[in-house]
Amino acid sequence: QAQLVESGGGLVQPGGSLRLSCASSGSIFKDYTMGWYRQAPGKQREREWLASIFTGGGTMYGDSVKGRFTISRDSATNTVYLQMNNLKPDDTAVYYCNAAGASIYWGQGTQVTVSS
């Protein structure tokens, strides 16, 4: 069973930054497209796609985070990162790591709260 373990969430003031991490197994990291999603409070059935990084290193971003968030991957540690800058209250959500390939895997989520 593949595991994705997120970390790095927390409370940050508007305009601040956070970096989320997602540790995965080597087989998943090597062969799967890795992505980040979020689920805002009150939107129980909607997960918003934020960013993806492909096995070749290419990236894509959702319009709501383009220019503020950066996805990256570290092959040495099988970890995917989401650097989040200029955070806004609307960014408050549970953030999930995703691996897409032969199967779909999700992490357990990490809470990000943007508030003064």
Side-chain angles (χ1 to χ4, degrees), residues 34-35 49-54 57-62 65-66 69 71:
M34 304 298 293
W49 169 73
L50 302 176
S52 293
I53 186 164
F54 305 98
T59 58
M60 289 184 66
Y61 295 92
V65 303
K66 197 174 297 182
F69 291 10
I71 189 170

Side-chain angles (χ1 to χ4, degrees), residues 57-104:
T59 58
M60 289 184 66
Y61 295 92
D63 288 341
S64 64
V65 303
K66 197 174 297 182
R68 298 190 298 126
F69 291 10
T70 302
I71 189 170
S72 60
R73 59 197 297 162
D74 183 344
S75 299
T77 59
N78 298 331
T79 302
V80 176
Y81 299 99
L82 186 69
Q83 176 67 42
M84 307 186 295
N85 298 327
N86 190 21
L87 284 161
K88 306 173 183 179
D90 283 350
D91 293 319
T92 295
V94 178
Y95 284 68
Y96 295 91
C97 180
N98 167 275
S103 299
I104 303 293

